[in-house]
Amino acid sequence: QVHLVESGGGLVHPGGSLRLSCAASGSIFSINNMGWYRQTPGKERELVATIISGGSTNYGDSMKGRCTISRDNTQNTVYLQMNSLKPEDTAVYYCNAYIRTVARTYLEVWGQGTLVTVSS
């Protein structure tokens, strides 16, 4: 079994910053792509950012220029640094990863989500 655990969410004022973390654990052989998505009730889950093992990144339009994704492959951890947060950034942020297991199967895994609330 493979699990992703997010942390770092919370309440911030507009213009503030947060850093989200997501750690993968379990029967992992390697992790190709890791990323962050967010979802607000009544809306579709949307891409925030992804990063492959080699370091190449891809950003969605919603937070481009206001966030930076990074990863520590030695820790199987991905981070999302968010700056200049706006009320419309309020959402549950989910970690996502494509993982090759020790059994040589491929899994898409989602974390449980961490709530980010941006409010004055």
Side-chain angles (χ1 to χ4, degrees), residues 60-93:
D61 292 333
S62 61
M63 298 189 71
K64 185 177 295 184
R66 297 188 295 115
C67 70
T68 301
I69 190 169
S70 61
R71 64 190 287 171
D72 182 349
N73 291 332
T74 67
Q75 300 292 320
N76 289 329
T77 301
V78 63
Y79 305 94
L80 184 70
Q81 178 67 47
M82 303 184 294
N83 306 307
S84 301
L85 288 165
K86 305 174 181 179
E88 51 263 45
D89 294 320
T90 296
V92 177
Y93 286 72

mmCIF file of all heavy atoms in Angstrom, residues 60-93:
data_model
loop_
_atom_site.group_PDB
_atom_site.id
_atom_site.type_symbol
_atom_site.label_atom_id
_atom_site.label_comp_id
_atom_site.label_asym_id
_atom_site.label_seq_id
_atom_site.Cartn_x
_atom_site.Cartn_y
_atom_site.Cartn_z
ATOM 1 N N GLY A 60 -0.384 25.200 -13.418
ATOM 2 C CA GLY A 60 -1.682 25.612 -13.891
ATOM 3 C C GLY A 60 -1.786 27.123 -13.893
ATOM 4 O O GLY A 60 -0.971 27.841 -13.300
ATOM 5 N N ASP A 61 -2.818 27.615 -14.558
ATOM 6 C CA ASP A 61 -2.970 29.058 -14.693
ATOM 7 C C ASP A 61 -3.410 29.743 -13.407
ATOM 8 O O ASP A 61 -3.134 30.928 -13.211
ATOM 9 C CB ASP A 61 -3.983 29.370 -15.796
ATOM 10 C CG ASP A 61 -3.477 28.994 -17.167
ATOM 11 O OD1 ASP A 61 -2.246 28.982 -17.376
ATOM 12 O OD2 ASP A 61 -4.320 28.724 -18.045
ATOM 13 N N SER A 62 -4.087 29.033 -12.543
ATOM 14 C CA SER A 62 -4.726 29.675 -11.404
ATOM 15 C C SER A 62 -3.745 30.324 -10.441
ATOM 16 O O SER A 62 -4.031 31.389 -9.890
ATOM 17 C CB SER A 62 -5.602 28.667 -10.655
ATOM 18 O OG SER A 62 -4.825 27.587 -10.166
ATOM 19 N N MET A 63 -2.599 29.699 -10.236
ATOM 20 C CA MET A 63 -1.640 30.226 -9.285
ATOM 21 C C MET A 63 -0.271 30.457 -9.888
ATOM 22 O O MET A 63 0.713 30.663 -9.152
ATOM 23 C CB MET A 63 -1.511 29.292 -8.076
ATOM 24 C CG MET A 63 -2.778 29.120 -7.268
ATOM 25 S SD MET A 63 -2.502 28.232 -5.709
ATOM 26 C CE MET A 63 -1.610 29.478 -4.783
ATOM 27 N N LYS A 64 -0.189 30.436 -11.193
ATOM 28 C CA LYS A 64 1.092 30.648 -11.848
ATOM 29 C C LYS A 64 1.671 32.000 -11.450
ATOM 30 O O LYS A 64 0.991 33.020 -11.488
ATOM 31 C CB LYS A 64 0.927 30.566 -13.363
ATOM 32 C CG LYS A 64 2.236 30.652 -14.145
ATOM 33 C CD LYS A 64 1.993 30.482 -15.640
ATOM 34 C CE LYS A 64 1.466 29.099 -15.961
ATOM 35 N NZ LYS A 64 1.323 28.888 -17.434
ATOM 36 N N GLY A 65 2.931 31.984 -11.064
ATOM 37 C CA GLY A 65 3.587 33.193 -10.609
ATOM 38 C C GLY A 65 3.445 33.449 -9.128
ATOM 39 O O GLY A 65 4.135 34.321 -8.585
ATOM 40 N N ARG A 66 2.574 32.700 -8.463
ATOM 41 C CA ARG A 66 2.361 32.883 -7.034
ATOM 42 C C ARG A 66 2.699 31.633 -6.241
ATOM 43 O O ARG A 66 2.509 31.621 -5.021
ATOM 44 C CB ARG A 66 0.920 33.302 -6.752
ATOM 45 C CG ARG A 66 0.547 34.643 -7.367
ATOM 46 C CD ARG A 66 -0.827 35.124 -6.898
ATOM 47 N NE ARG A 66 -1.899 34.257 -7.358
ATOM 48 C CZ ARG A 66 -2.670 33.526 -6.566
ATOM 49 N NH1 ARG A 66 -2.498 33.585 -5.254
ATOM 50 N NH2 ARG A 66 -3.627 32.774 -7.076
ATOM 51 N N CYS A 67 3.172 30.616 -6.909
ATOM 52 C CA CYS A 67 3.542 29.403 -6.194
ATOM 53 C C CYS A 67 4.747 28.762 -6.844
ATOM 54 O O CYS A 67 5.035 28.986 -8.026
ATOM 55 C CB CYS A 67 2.376 28.411 -6.126
ATOM 56 S SG CYS A 67 1.949 27.642 -7.699
ATOM 57 N N THR A 68 5.444 27.961 -6.059
ATOM 58 C CA THR A 68 6.611 27.238 -6.537
ATOM 59 C C THR A 68 6.545 25.811 -6.016
ATOM 60 O O THR A 68 6.378 25.593 -4.815
ATOM 61 C CB THR A 68 7.919 27.894 -6.074
ATOM 62 O OG1 THR A 68 7.983 29.242 -6.543
ATOM 63 C CG2 THR A 68 9.120 27.123 -6.613
ATOM 64 N N ILE A 69 6.666 24.854 -6.910
ATOM 65 C CA ILE A 69 6.667 23.460 -6.518
ATOM 66 C C ILE A 69 8.102 22.945 -6.516
ATOM 67 O O ILE A 69 8.918 23.320 -7.361
ATOM 68 C CB ILE A 69 5.772 22.612 -7.442
ATOM 69 C CG1 ILE A 69 5.594 21.200 -6.879
ATOM 70 C CG2 ILE A 69 6.318 22.575 -8.865
ATOM 71 C CD1 ILE A 69 4.522 20.391 -7.599
ATOM 72 N N SER A 70 8.404 22.098 -5.562
ATOM 73 C CA SER A 70 9.721 21.494 -5.470
ATOM 74 C C SER A 70 9.580 20.112 -4.850
ATOM 75 O O SER A 70 8.524 19.763 -4.322
ATOM 76 C CB SER A 70 10.678 22.363 -4.646
ATOM 77 O OG SER A 70 10.200 22.530 -3.322
ATOM 78 N N ARG A 71 10.648 19.330 -4.919
ATOM 79 C CA ARG A 71 10.590 17.997 -4.331
ATOM 80 C C ARG A 71 11.945 17.587 -3.802
ATOM 81 O O ARG A 71 12.989 18.050 -4.264
ATOM 82 C CB ARG A 71 10.077 16.965 -5.346
ATOM 83 C CG ARG A 71 10.979 16.761 -6.552
ATOM 84 C CD ARG A 71 10.285 15.904 -7.614
ATOM 85 N NE ARG A 71 10.193 14.503 -7.224
ATOM 86 C CZ ARG A 71 9.494 13.581 -7.892
ATOM 87 N NH1 ARG A 71 8.802 13.937 -8.976
ATOM 88 N NH2 ARG A 71 9.474 12.322 -7.478
ATOM 89 N N ASP A 72 11.899 16.716 -2.833
ATOM 90 C CA ASP A 72 13.089 16.108 -2.270
ATOM 91 C C ASP A 72 12.959 14.611 -2.522
ATOM 92 O O ASP A 72 12.222 13.916 -1.823
ATOM 93 C CB ASP A 72 13.194 16.413 -0.775
ATOM 94 C CG ASP A 72 14.449 15.838 -0.151
ATOM 95 O OD1 ASP A 72 15.145 15.038 -0.798
ATOM 96 O OD2 ASP A 72 14.740 16.201 1.006
ATOM 97 N N ASN A 73 13.665 14.124 -3.520
ATOM 98 C CA ASN A 73 13.536 12.727 -3.897
ATOM 99 C C ASN A 73 14.059 11.773 -2.826
ATOM 100 O O ASN A 73 13.617 10.627 -2.752
ATOM 101 C CB ASN A 73 14.254 12.471 -5.220
ATOM 102 C CG ASN A 73 13.575 13.138 -6.394
ATOM 103 O OD1 ASN A 73 12.357 13.350 -6.385
ATOM 104 N ND2 ASN A 73 14.344 13.476 -7.421
ATOM 105 N N THR A 74 15.002 12.238 -2.029
ATOM 106 C CA THR A 74 15.520 11.386 -0.968
ATOM 107 C C THR A 74 14.496 11.162 0.127
ATOM 108 O O THR A 74 14.594 10.191 0.879
ATOM 109 C CB THR A 74 16.797 11.978 -0.359
ATOM 110 O OG1 THR A 74 16.492 13.194 0.326
ATOM 111 C CG2 THR A 74 17.829 12.258 -1.440
ATOM 112 N N GLN A 75 13.521 12.053 0.221
ATOM 113 C CA GLN A 75 12.481 11.953 1.236
ATOM 114 C C GLN A 75 11.117 11.615 0.652
ATOM 115 O O GLN A 75 10.132 11.537 1.402
ATOM 116 C CB GLN A 75 12.382 13.258 2.022
ATOM 117 C CG GLN A 75 13.656 13.645 2.748
ATOM 118 C CD GLN A 75 13.981 12.697 3.886
ATOM 119 O OE1 GLN A 75 13.090 12.266 4.618
ATOM 120 N NE2 GLN A 75 15.260 12.369 4.025
ATOM 121 N N ASN A 76 11.046 11.435 -0.663
ATOM 122 C CA ASN A 76 9.773 11.190 -1.335
ATOM 123 C C ASN A 76 8.735 12.237 -0.947
ATOM 124 O O ASN A 76 7.580 11.923 -0.662
ATOM 125 C CB ASN A 76 9.247 9.783 -1.022
ATOM 126 C CG ASN A 76 10.068 8.705 -1.687
ATOM 127 O OD1 ASN A 76 10.623 8.897 -2.771
ATOM 128 N ND2 ASN A 76 10.150 7.545 -1.051
ATOM 129 N N THR A 77 9.169 13.476 -0.970
ATOM 130 C CA THR A 77 8.339 14.573 -0.509
ATOM 131 C C THR A 77 8.262 15.671 -1.566
ATOM 132 O O THR A 77 9.271 15.994 -2.201
ATOM 133 C CB THR A 77 8.880 15.162 0.803
ATOM 134 O OG1 THR A 77 8.909 14.135 1.803
ATOM 135 C CG2 THR A 77 8.003 16.302 1.294
ATOM 136 N N VAL A 78 7.082 16.223 -1.732
ATOM 137 C CA VAL A 78 6.879 17.353 -2.630
ATOM 138 C C VAL A 78 6.352 18.524 -1.812
ATOM 139 O O VAL A 78 5.601 18.338 -0.845
ATOM 140 C CB VAL A 78 5.913 16.992 -3.783
ATOM 141 C CG1 VAL A 78 4.522 16.656 -3.256
ATOM 142 C CG2 VAL A 78 5.853 18.114 -4.808
ATOM 143 N N TYR A 79 6.757 19.725 -2.207
ATOM 144 C CA TYR A 79 6.369 20.929 -1.504
ATOM 145 C C TYR A 79 5.680 21.896 -2.455
ATOM 146 O O TYR A 79 5.934 21.906 -3.654
ATOM 147 C CB TYR A 79 7.589 21.630 -0.903
ATOM 148 C CG TYR A 79 8.419 20.758 0.000
ATOM 149 C CD1 TYR A 79 9.521 20.066 -0.498
ATOM 150 C CD2 TYR A 79 8.110 20.620 1.348
ATOM 151 C CE1 TYR A 79 10.287 19.266 0.323
ATOM 152 C CE2 TYR A 79 8.871 19.820 2.177
ATOM 153 C CZ TYR A 79 9.959 19.147 1.665
ATOM 154 O OH TYR A 79 10.717 18.351 2.489
ATOM 155 N N LEU A 80 4.841 22.718 -1.886
ATOM 156 C CA LEU A 80 4.228 23.804 -2.631
ATOM 157 C C LEU A 80 4.314 25.063 -1.793
ATOM 158 O O LEU A 80 3.648 25.172 -0.761
ATOM 159 C CB LEU A 80 2.769 23.505 -2.974
ATOM 160 C CG LEU A 80 2.076 24.563 -3.831
ATOM 161 C CD1 LEU A 80 2.642 24.541 -5.254
ATOM 162 C CD2 LEU A 80 0.568 24.352 -3.851
ATOM 163 N N GLN A 81 5.147 25.988 -2.231
ATOM 164 C CA GLN A 81 5.251 27.288 -1.587
ATOM 165 C C GLN A 81 4.264 28.229 -2.256
ATOM 166 O O GLN A 81 4.353 28.475 -3.460
ATOM 167 C CB GLN A 81 6.671 27.842 -1.705
ATOM 168 C CG GLN A 81 6.854 29.229 -1.108
ATOM 169 C CD GLN A 81 6.710 29.244 0.393
ATOM 170 O OE1 GLN A 81 7.282 28.410 1.083
ATOM 171 N NE2 GLN A 81 5.933 30.196 0.910
ATOM 172 N N MET A 82 3.327 28.751 -1.492
ATOM 173 C CA MET A 82 2.293 29.624 -2.010
ATOM 174 C C MET A 82 2.456 31.012 -1.415
ATOM 175 O O MET A 82 2.572 31.162 -0.200
ATOM 176 C CB MET A 82 0.903 29.076 -1.692
ATOM 177 C CG MET A 82 0.664 27.666 -2.208
ATOM 178 S SD MET A 82 -1.032 27.112 -1.922
ATOM 179 C CE MET A 82 -1.040 27.053 -0.126
ATOM 180 N N ASN A 83 2.442 32.009 -2.268
ATOM 181 C CA ASN A 83 2.615 33.395 -1.856
ATOM 182 C C ASN A 83 1.488 34.250 -2.415
ATOM 183 O O ASN A 83 0.778 33.853 -3.332
ATOM 184 C CB ASN A 83 3.962 33.932 -2.336
ATOM 185 C CG ASN A 83 5.134 33.088 -1.910
ATOM 186 O OD1 ASN A 83 5.295 32.790 -0.726
ATOM 187 N ND2 ASN A 83 5.968 32.697 -2.869
ATOM 188 N N SER A 84 1.370 35.439 -1.855
ATOM 189 C CA SER A 84 0.359 36.396 -2.315
ATOM 190 C C SER A 84 -1.008 35.748 -2.423
ATOM 191 O O SER A 84 -1.721 35.887 -3.422
ATOM 192 C CB SER A 84 0.777 36.999 -3.665
ATOM 193 O OG SER A 84 2.019 37.662 -3.562
ATOM 194 N N LEU A 85 -1.380 35.048 -1.384
ATOM 195 C CA LEU A 85 -2.617 34.285 -1.412
ATOM 196 C C LEU A 85 -3.840 35.192 -1.455
ATOM 197 O O LEU A 85 -3.861 36.266 -0.860
ATOM 198 C CB LEU A 85 -2.686 33.357 -0.208
ATOM 199 C CG LEU A 85 -1.725 32.166 -0.288
ATOM 200 C CD1 LEU A 85 -1.583 31.497 1.070
ATOM 201 C CD2 LEU A 85 -2.218 31.163 -1.327
ATOM 202 N N LYS A 86 -4.842 34.726 -2.166
ATOM 203 C CA LYS A 86 -6.084 35.455 -2.353
ATOM 204 C C LYS A 86 -7.241 34.642 -1.795
ATOM 205 O O LYS A 86 -7.150 33.420 -1.685
ATOM 206 C CB LYS A 86 -6.319 35.722 -3.843
ATOM 207 C CG LYS A 86 -5.178 36.430 -4.546
ATOM 208 C CD LYS A 86 -5.442 36.517 -6.043
ATOM 209 C CE LYS A 86 -4.302 37.203 -6.764
ATOM 210 N NZ LYS A 86 -4.546 37.255 -8.234
ATOM 211 N N PRO A 87 -8.343 35.303 -1.452
ATOM 212 C CA PRO A 87 -9.505 34.545 -0.965
ATOM 213 C C PRO A 87 -9.944 33.439 -1.916
ATOM 214 O O PRO A 87 -10.389 32.383 -1.454
ATOM 215 C CB PRO A 87 -10.578 35.625 -0.812
ATOM 216 C CG PRO A 87 -9.811 36.862 -0.514
ATOM 217 C CD PRO A 87 -8.558 36.756 -1.351
ATOM 218 N N GLU A 88 -9.815 33.657 -3.211
ATOM 219 C CA GLU A 88 -10.214 32.643 -4.171
ATOM 220 C C GLU A 88 -9.283 31.438 -4.186
ATOM 221 O O GLU A 88 -9.571 30.443 -4.858
ATOM 222 C CB GLU A 88 -10.333 33.235 -5.580
ATOM 223 C CG GLU A 88 -9.120 34.022 -6.020
ATOM 224 C CD GLU A 88 -9.287 35.520 -5.809
ATOM 225 O OE1 GLU A 88 -9.766 35.912 -4.723
ATOM 226 O OE2 GLU A 88 -8.949 36.288 -6.723
ATOM 227 N N ASP A 89 -8.168 31.512 -3.467
ATOM 228 C CA ASP A 89 -7.296 30.355 -3.312
ATOM 229 C C ASP A 89 -7.804 29.393 -2.247
ATOM 230 O O ASP A 89 -7.242 28.304 -2.085
ATOM 231 C CB ASP A 89 -5.875 30.793 -2.958
ATOM 232 C CG ASP A 89 -5.201 31.572 -4.077
ATOM 233 O OD1 ASP A 89 -5.378 31.208 -5.251
ATOM 234 O OD2 ASP A 89 -4.490 32.548 -3.767
ATOM 235 N N THR A 90 -8.823 29.789 -1.521
ATOM 236 C CA THR A 90 -9.394 28.917 -0.509
ATOM 237 C C THR A 90 -9.897 27.631 -1.151
ATOM 238 O O THR A 90 -10.718 27.661 -2.073
ATOM 239 C CB THR A 90 -10.542 29.620 0.220
ATOM 240 O OG1 THR A 90 -10.034 30.756 0.924
ATOM 241 C CG2 THR A 90 -11.210 28.682 1.212
ATOM 242 N N ALA A 91 -9.393 26.512 -0.675
ATOM 243 C CA ALA A 91 -9.736 25.220 -1.255
ATOM 244 C C ALA A 91 -9.086 24.124 -0.432
ATOM 245 O O ALA A 91 -8.244 24.384 0.433
ATOM 246 C CB ALA A 91 -9.255 25.130 -2.709
ATOM 247 N N VAL A 92 -9.487 22.908 -0.721
ATOM 248 C CA VAL A 92 -8.759 21.753 -0.224
ATOM 249 C C VAL A 92 -7.690 21.417 -1.250
ATOM 250 O O VAL A 92 -7.991 21.240 -2.433
ATOM 251 C CB VAL A 92 -9.675 20.541 0.013
ATOM 252 C CG1 VAL A 92 -8.860 19.333 0.453
ATOM 253 C CG2 VAL A 92 -10.736 20.878 1.055
ATOM 254 N N TYR A 93 -6.467 21.340 -0.805
ATOM 255 C CA TYR A 93 -5.343 21.063 -1.678
ATOM 256 C C TYR A 93 -4.939 19.602 -1.527
ATOM 257 O O TYR A 93 -4.700 19.120 -0.419
ATOM 258 C CB TYR A 93 -4.166 21.987 -1.356
ATOM 259 C CG TYR A 93 -4.390 23.398 -1.838
ATOM 260 C CD1 TYR A 93 -5.309 24.224 -1.207
ATOM 261 C CD2 TYR A 93 -3.708 23.898 -2.939
ATOM 262 C CE1 TYR A 93 -5.547 25.513 -1.661
ATOM 263 C CE2 TYR A 93 -3.929 25.187 -3.397
ATOM 264 C CZ TYR A 93 -4.845 25.987 -2.759
ATOM 265 O OH TYR A 93 -5.065 27.268 -3.216
#
